[in-house]
């Protein structure tokens, strides 16, 4: 029996420390990173003996090398206890686990490089990075104590000793309120810009009893997402357009400013320096994430409202645009198309609720009329408008969403793996090019 994949999601709990507590947090992160660097050297030196051990066996094996106790007075590296006096045991074990992961990753990547598995022939070998920007993991009862969800008590280093300090929690999400979610060990994230707890949850969604419908999504250039909820009988019970135009305009204005600044910098010739407009690109990346979260959140809300069996997308992996001249507005719109990010964010949100995402063949979803009248004709002035052979005019993206929903239902309900095979003997179009009318025909044949 296939083991279900764990659904791990992380919440950010905002903290409001005092100036003195900020100094304590900074000192705690500093000494924890110093300990991790120390342990990376020890573990890498003895990796030939430690590499074959399991995670449960590795931690005590490393402690035998560097942690002195009454029963273990003679150790190989007594410097650790001298450099990190009274270092808490659970902080030490968290640092060992992190350092072992760093060494394991390095050894794996180096072996791949040595065997010739490289992106380029002249690729340089990987380096063991012991100076990583890690943050301390907190174990319940030993490193942190929750007082409701308003305050948290954290064990910190004051420069001489390890003490407890209580800090206010000012921002929460809702995952801690779900009874089936199991809270795991958080991490203390502290730097010049942030101070919060990164709290992972093992989400175990309840078994769903969905209705006989799917939520189909057509991701487009003109409209970010076109939604339709289609039942197994071919009835469309909901349709909707999602297009956060304000955020898209904010992003496009910033991207346009890059070309203007580039022309002023280079003139008629020359090259741009490394990192040119990097801050602008980072801002646009964050806007893209915001757009994707807005769209995916609304898609999941619609699917949850109608208790859909699945969310259906087109399979657009490996798709590359053919239209648009170089440096044209159309090229930029294709480049900023968030088809993969929206799909991934939707799948993550929907999996947390126990739902599944289905992908169907993308060919001819918008070209074929949903009523079975054949290939549609696009308006040259308004490409979002499609004209059927019967003369009927309809939104092309919505027409595609109808057909995507039909293909998703046929894929969920088919009895054999026939979706994707062509019907060459009958001369008809491939079965994967199904339209909404195929659900109508299937329903009428069942009634007959």
């Amino acid at each position: 029996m296939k083991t279900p994949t764990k659904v791990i999601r992380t919440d950010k709990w905002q903290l409001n420390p005092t100036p003195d507590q900020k100094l304590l947090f900074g000192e705690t992160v500093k000494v924890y990173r110093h300990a991790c660097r120390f342990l990376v050297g020890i573990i890498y030196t003895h990796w030939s003996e430690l590499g074959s051990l399991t995670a449960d066996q590795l931690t005590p094996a490393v402690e035998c090398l560097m942690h002195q106790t009454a029963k273990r007075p003679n150790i190989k590296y007594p410097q650790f206890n001298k450099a990190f006096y009274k270092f808490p045991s659970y902080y030490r074990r968290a640092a060992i686990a992190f350092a072992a992961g760093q060494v394991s990753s390095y050894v794996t990547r180096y072996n791949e490089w040595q065997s010739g598995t490289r992106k380029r022939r002249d690729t340089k070998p990987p380096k063991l990075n012991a100076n990583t920007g890690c943050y301390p993991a907190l174990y319940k009862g030993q490193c942190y104590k929750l007082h409701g969800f308003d305050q948290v008590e954290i064990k910190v280093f004051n420069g001489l000793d390890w003490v407890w300090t209580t800090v206010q929690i000012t921002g929460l999400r809702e995952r801690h309120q779900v009874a089936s979610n199991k809270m795991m060990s958080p991490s203390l994230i502290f730097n010049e810009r942030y101070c919060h707890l990164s709290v992972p949850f093992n989400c175990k969604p309840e078994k769903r009893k969905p209705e006989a419908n799917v939520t189909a999504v057509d991701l487009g250039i003109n409209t970010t997402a076109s939604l339709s909820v289609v039942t197994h009988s071919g009835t469309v019970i909901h349709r909707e357009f999602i297009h956060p135009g304000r955020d898209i305009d904010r992003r496009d204005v910033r991207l346009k400013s890059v070309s203007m600044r580039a022309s002023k910098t280079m003139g008629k010739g020359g090259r741009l320096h490394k990192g040119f407009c990097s801050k602008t690109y980072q801002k646009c990346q964050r806007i893209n994430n915001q757009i994707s979260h807005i769209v995916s959140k609304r898609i999941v809300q619609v699917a949850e409202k109608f208790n859909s069996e699945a969310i259906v997308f087109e399979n657009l992996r490996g798709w590359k645009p053919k239209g648009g001249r170089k440096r044209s507005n159309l090229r930029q719109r294709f480049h900023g198309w968030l088809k993969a990010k929206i799909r991934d964010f939707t799948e993550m949100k929907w999996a947390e609720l126990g739902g599944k995402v289905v992908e169907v063949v993308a060919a001819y979803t918008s070209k074929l009329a949903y009523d079975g009248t054949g290939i549609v004709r696009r308006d040259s002035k308004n490409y979002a408008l499609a004209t059927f052979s019967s003369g009927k005019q309809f939104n092309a993206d919505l027409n595609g969403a109808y057909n995507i929903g039909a293909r998703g239902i046929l894929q969920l309900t088919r009895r054999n793996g026939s979706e994707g095979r062509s019907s060459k003997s009958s001369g008809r179009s491939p079965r994967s090019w199904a339209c909404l009318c195929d659900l109508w025909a299937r329903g009428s044949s069942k009634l007959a």
Side-chain angles (χ1 to χ4, degrees):
M1 185 177 178
K2 188 177 179 181
T3 306
T5 306
K6 286 186 177 181
V7 179
I8 307 295
R9 298 292 181 266
T10 304
D11 276 358
K12 182 190 293 185
W13 291 8
Q14 294 288 350
L15 302 179
N16 185 23
T18 63
D20 291 338
Q21 289 175 330
K22 288 182 180 181
L23 294 176
L24 295 176
F25 288 161
E27 195 67 28
T28 304
V29 172
K30 180 180 177 182
V31 71
Y32 180 81
R33 290 179 177 177
H34 189 189
C36 288
R37 289 198 298 272
F38 194 104
L39 290 167
V40 164
I42 294 175
I43 294 173
Y44 181 63
T45 303
H46 297 272
W47 187 249
S48 56
E49 300 93 29
L50 300 174
S52 58
L53 302 179
T54 63
D56 294 333
Q57 296 170 339
L58 188 139
T59 301
V62 175
E63 287 183 332
C64 288
L65 294 171
M66 39 68 69
H67 181 54
Q68 188 178 26
T69 62
K71 294 182 180 180
R72 192 169 57 227
N74 299 318
I75 55 176
K76 191 165 186 177
Y77 301 98
Q79 301 93 336
F80 186 88
N81 284 348
K82 295 177 181 178
F84 305 99
Y85 181 63
K86 289 187 177 181
F87 198 73
S89 59
Y90 280 86
Y91 277 128
R92 181 179 67 247
R93 288 163 190 164
I96 289 172
F98 175 80
Q102 289 292 109
V103 174
S104 176
S105 174
Y106 164 73
V107 171
T108 302
R109 289 182 287 113
Y110 186 82
N111 290 338
E112 288 180 353
W113 177 86
Q114 206 169 29
S115 64
T117 307
R118 312 174 190 176
K119 291 184 178 180
R120 299 188 308 272
R121 292 183 62 184
D122 59 344
T123 301
K124 294 181 180 180
K127 295 181 180 180
L128 178 59
N129 183 17
N131 188 20
T132 56
C134 58
Y135 293 99
L138 310 179
Y139 290 88
K140 188 175 182 179
Q142 302 293 327
C143 303
Y144 82 98
K145 299 174 184 177
L146 268 179
H147 301 293
F149 292 102
D150 300 324
Q151 294 179 333
V152 60
E153 201 172 353
I154 303 174
K155 184 175 281 190
V156 294
F157 188 63
N158 63 3
L160 298 173
D161 198 4
W162 291 85
V163 297
W164 290 93
T165 183
T166 303
V167 62
Q168 297 291 327
I169 301 174
T170 57
L172 290 169
R173 291 191 66 181
E174 68 284 347
R175 288 193 178 101
H176 65 282
Q177 298 174 352
V178 182
S180 59
N181 290 349
K182 182 181 178 182
M183 182 177 169
M184 304 171 73
S185 298
S187 296
L188 174 63
I189 310 298
F190 179 81
N191 52 40
E192 294 178 354
R193 298 178 60 190
Y194 303 108
C195 181
H196 63 265
L197 291 179
S198 181
V199 188
F201 287 89
N202 185 2
C203 303
K204 296 180 180 179
E206 297 179 357
K207 192 173 182 180
R208 300 179 67 247
K209 295 180 180 179
E211 303 290 337
N213 67 68
V214 299
T215 299
V217 185
D218 180 78
L219 301 175
I221 301 297
N222 299 308
T223 305
T224 307
S226 303
L227 269 65
S228 66
V229 181
V230 184
T231 65
H232 283 203
S233 62
T235 304
V236 179
I237 57 177
H238 179 77
R239 57 186 184 177
E240 184 176 328
F241 297 103
I242 307 173
H243 188 70
R246 181 181 296 178
D247 294 316
I248 294 173
D249 290 343
R250 285 197 302 130
R251 179 198 64 191
D252 292 345
V253 166
R254 284 172 170 82
L255 290 175
K256 274 293 182 184
S257 69
V258 173
S259 60
M260 295 176 61
R261 281 178 277 176
S263 62
K264 291 180 180 179
T265 303
M266 293 189 302
K268 293 183 178 180
R271 296 177 61 184
L272 297 173
H273 63 83
K274 186 178 180 180
F276 178 76
C277 290
S278 60
K279 297 294 184 182
T280 303
Y281 282 119
Q282 290 173 10
K283 179 65 176 178
C284 292
Q285 181 69 24
R286 291 193 291 269
I287 294 174
N288 281 339
N289 288 336
Q290 175 71 7
I291 294 170
S292 302
H293 278 299
I294 290 172
V295 175
S296 60
K297 181 180 180 181
R298 182 55 190 161
I299 292 171
V300 171
Q301 285 176 346
V302 172
E304 187 178 11
K305 177 182 176 182
F306 290 92
N307 196 18
S308 296
E309 187 177 354
I311 297 176
V312 188
F313 285 94
E314 295 173 297
N315 186 355
L316 296 171
R317 290 188 179 91
W319 182 90
K320 292 183 179 179
K322 298 178 181 178
R325 298 188 308 274
K326 192 174 182 181
R327 297 187 182 90
S328 64
N329 289 336
L330 184 58
R331 272 285 175 178
Q332 181 176 322
R333 290 168 70 187
F334 274 126
H335 187 70
W337 192 16
L338 305 174
K339 60 184 189 305
K341 190 166 288 189
I342 292 173
R343 185 231 177 265
D344 292 342
F345 284 0
T346 303
E347 185 175 19
M348 287 190 287
K349 291 180 174 68
W350 189 228
E352 191 175 344
L353 299 176
K356 60 181 177 180
V357 170
V358 175
E359 288 186 333
V360 297
V361 177
Y364 284 79
T365 51
S366 298
K367 283 188 176 181
L368 293 175
Y370 72 86
D371 59 1
T373 55
I375 296 178
V376 302
R377 180 169 49 86
R378 292 291 188 95
D379 193 311
S380 59
K381 295 182 179 179
N382 184 7
Y383 200 69
L385 192 63
T387 304
F388 295 0
S389 58
S390 60
K392 175 182 177 180
Q393 289 187 326
F394 201 74
N395 185 279
D397 294 330
L398 201 57
N399 175 65
Y402 288 0
N403 293 334
I404 291 169
R407 295 180 187 186
I409 290 171
L410 292 174
Q411 184 171 324
L412 289 169
T413 57
R414 71 175 187 260
R415 294 183 179 178
N416 53 27
S418 62
E419 208 242 9
R421 292 192 292 118
S422 60
S423 306
K424 293 182 179 178
S425 59
S426 62
R428 297 182 302 171
S429 61
R431 294 189 181 99
S432 59
W433 291 6
C435 300
L436 185 65
C437 61
D438 294 330
L439 297 181
W440 303 341
R442 190 179 66 162
S444 61
S445 64
K446 286 182 178 180
L447 291 175

